Amino acid sequence: MPALPASAVAPALPASAVAPSPSASAVTPTPSASAVTPTPSASSVANGGPAKPVPGFGARPNDGSGVWPDFSNTGYANTPANAGGLGLGKYPGKLTDHAPKMSDTKPLTLRFPDNSVISFKRFRALKIYIYGDNLTFVGCLFEGTNPNDNLVQIYSDTGIKFLYSTFKPSSYSRPPGNNGTVSSAHSKPGTPFKKSWQLATTMKEAVAVMDHNDIWGNAGMEMVTGFPGRPSTWTNNYIHDMADTARDVYHHDGIGPQSEGNGGPMIVHHNTLASVGNTNALALQGNGVYQNIKVTNNYVSGWGYALSIGVTNNARNITVTDNVFSAELEQLYGFLYGNFWSGSARGSTWRRNLIQVRPGDGNSNYSTADHGRYLWPTGSETHTTDYKG
């Protein structure tokens, strides 16, 4: 993939699997994040935050509130009844192995009839190949070990859905350094390189719908960014704890990378995108035109630059609103790569994006005096008034 400038990222890499899994009793389902809207603290309003609350501003993942996507409301063990409106029951308390003798040392090929729904299955392999179009996976576990390569490789023509599923390295049931009270481990290196997996990748033109998934121990989700009438959709996912964060062998991307440009439409709504790392929570890193992309009400913390929406200033119809940019985790550079922002002249909107700061946070560029203030796309400074451009 074309790399971002060397000052911002590591060199690009090619993208060419039984430890115990969390039991159902270990995770207690919580009401959906969208059902709870905390009110910002008084200090946030005093510091210039909006009179109308940004949903979730007063909360953090894994703080017990269940407001943001976290261990309590994502992944297979938290699958509710009727997930995705498919009429299935809730997580039955145990997954069924797809096949006997699955192993990190062997690939696994999955072939399903088009339009199949696959539920409550465990898949473990060196690499998992998926064939079939318009497949829906509900409450499934994808685990393995495949450093510097794909764990999941998808050969679907038009669409694929993953709902309440978990993607993780097979050697761990929880991310190293994350005790379940923080959004992501505050210290490095996370999952070691040799026990990690790098990517899940769509190999054809399938547009993904990703909802309430728990994704960690990797370095990106390289999936199509959508086509007219078929938006790529990312909602309520918990993407956290990237692998091998002490080194720059990996690009540490949350959603992405997408390195060509010419992507969209795309919906990125109400996700937790949190990890220390060297590149982007949303990694749209191409020169071509990105357009019709909505980034709304996400909890974002860490990374190199939190967002990359192209590496030249040519994007159109981009919406970035009501996001909480948290200082919880160390951040290497800033919030928007290159400060590239097309503004209202090209149909783009940046509004109500707030900085959240607490004592002892990892991003030392901000203090509690910045808490509740606005971030603008023009730089990393905080402001008492919202951006108007």
CSV table of all heavy atoms in Angstrom, one decimal, residues 3 77 86 211 258 278 353 371:
chain,number,residue,atom,x,y,z
A,3,ALA,N,2.6,4.2,1.3
A,3,ALA,CA,2.7,4.6,2.7
A,3,ALA,C,2.4,6.1,2.9
A,3,ALA,O,2.6,6.9,2.0
A,3,ALA,CB,4.1,4.3,3.2
A,77,ALA,N,-19.9,-13.6,23.0
A,77,ALA,CA,-20.6,-14.0,24.2
A,77,ALA,C,-21.7,-13.0,24.6
A,77,ALA,O,-22.4,-13.3,25.6
A,77,ALA,CB,-19.5,-14.0,25.3
A,86,LEU,N,-32.6,-11.3,12.8
A,86,LEU,CA,-32.6,-12.6,12.1
A,86,LEU,C,-33.4,-13.7,12.8
A,86,LEU,O,-33.5,-14.8,12.3
A,86,LEU,CB,-31.1,-13.1,11.9
A,86,LEU,CG,-30.3,-12.2,11.0
A,86,LEU,CD1,-28.8,-12.6,11.1
A,86,LEU,CD2,-30.8,-12.2,9.6
A,211,ASP,N,-20.9,-5.1,12.8
A,211,ASP,CA,-21.7,-4.5,14.0
A,211,ASP,C,-21.5,-5.3,15.2
A,211,ASP,O,-21.5,-6.5,15.2
A,211,ASP,CB,-23.2,-4.5,13.6
A,211,ASP,CG,-24.0,-3.9,14.7
A,211,ASP,OD1,-23.9,-2.7,14.9
A,211,ASP,OD2,-24.8,-4.7,15.4
A,258,GLN,N,-7.0,1.5,3.7
A,258,GLN,CA,-7.5,1.6,2.3
A,258,GLN,C,-6.5,2.5,1.7
A,258,GLN,O,-6.5,3.7,2.1
A,258,GLN,CB,-8.9,2.0,2.3
A,258,GLN,CG,-9.6,1.7,1.0
A,258,GLN,CD,-9.4,2.8,-0.1
A,258,GLN,OE1,-8.5,3.5,-0.1
A,258,GLN,NE2,-10.4,2.8,-1.1
A,278,ASN,N,0.9,3.3,15.7
A,278,ASN,CA,1.6,4.3,14.9
A,278,ASN,C,0.9,4.9,13.7
A,278,ASN,O,1.4,5.8,13.1
A,278,ASN,CB,2.9,3.7,14.4
A,278,ASN,CG,2.7,2.4,13.6
A,278,ASN,OD1,1.7,2.2,13.0
A,278,ASN,ND2,3.7,1.6,13.5
A,353,ASN,N,-17.0,18.0,17.9
A,353,ASN,CA,-16.0,17.0,18.2
A,353,ASN,C,-15.2,17.5,19.4
A,353,ASN,O,-14.6,18.5,19.3
A,353,ASN,CB,-15.1,16.7,17.0
A,353,ASN,CG,-15.9,16.2,15.8
A,353,ASN,OD1,-16.5,15.1,15.9
A,353,ASN,ND2,-16.0,16.9,14.7
A,371,HIS,N,-10.5,19.8,28.8
A,371,HIS,CA,-11.7,18.9,28.8
A,371,HIS,C,-12.9,19.6,28.4
A,371,HIS,O,-13.3,20.6,28.9
A,371,HIS,CB,-11.8,18.3,30.3
A,371,HIS,CG,-13.0,17.4,30.4
A,371,HIS,ND1,-13.0,16.1,29.9
A,371,HIS,CD2,-14.2,17.5,31.0
A,371,HIS,CE1,-14.1,15.5,30.2
A,371,HIS,NE2,-14.9,16.3,30.9
